Amino acid sequence: MGGAPRMQVSRVPGKRVRRERDGNLTIDLWLCRDGAFDADLPLRLTPTEAEVLHAQLCYVLDDDTVSVITPATDLPDCRRHVQSTRRQ
């Protein structure tokens, strides 16, 4: 009849990623079911998992895309002077 509920996960606006006392990182997420808020969820990552995610995000976001979203002065040092080599 109704089928499976439509689930969506997104970051909680305005909440920063934070480092916990145990060294792991936490990203606060919202879970919505069929368009209605259902719960807050913490995504906890070890530093290694966070580094892998960081590397994967850097790979899919070239610097041109990032500079449109974030001014160069606000980029982390590791991204400020990198030239995109994939889009030319």
Side-chain angles (χ1 to χ4, degrees):
M1 284 176 73
R6 189 176 138 267
M7 307 294 277
Q8 180 180 356
V9 177
S10 59
R11 286 194 56 194
V12 176
K15 284 207 171 178
R16 294 177 176 248
V17 176
R18 63 188 180 279
R19 186 178 298 271
E20 302 295 340
R21 288 182 180 194
D22 63 2
N24 290 334
L25 294 102
T26 298
I27 303 170
D28 293 299
L29 303 173
W30 276 340
L31 173 64
C32 292
R33 187 186 326 247
D34 292 327
F37 172 78
D38 194 48
D40 284 351
L41 301 169
L43 172 61
R44 292 190 174 94
L45 301 169
T46 65
T48 301
E49 291 167 332
E51 263 310 316
V52 170
L53 177 60
H54 175 253
Q56 291 172 344
L57 290 170
C58 286
Y59 179 77
V60 297
L61 291 171
D62 60 31
D63 289 275
D64 295 332
T65 303
V66 173
S67 65
V68 169
I69 299 168
T70 305
T73 55
D74 293 341
L75 291 174
D77 288 338
C78 66
R79 305 265 307 152
R80 282 194 187 151
H81 306 291
V82 177
Q83 295 294 321
S84 174
T85 57
R86 289 186 288 143
R87 277 207 287 179
Q88 301 209 0

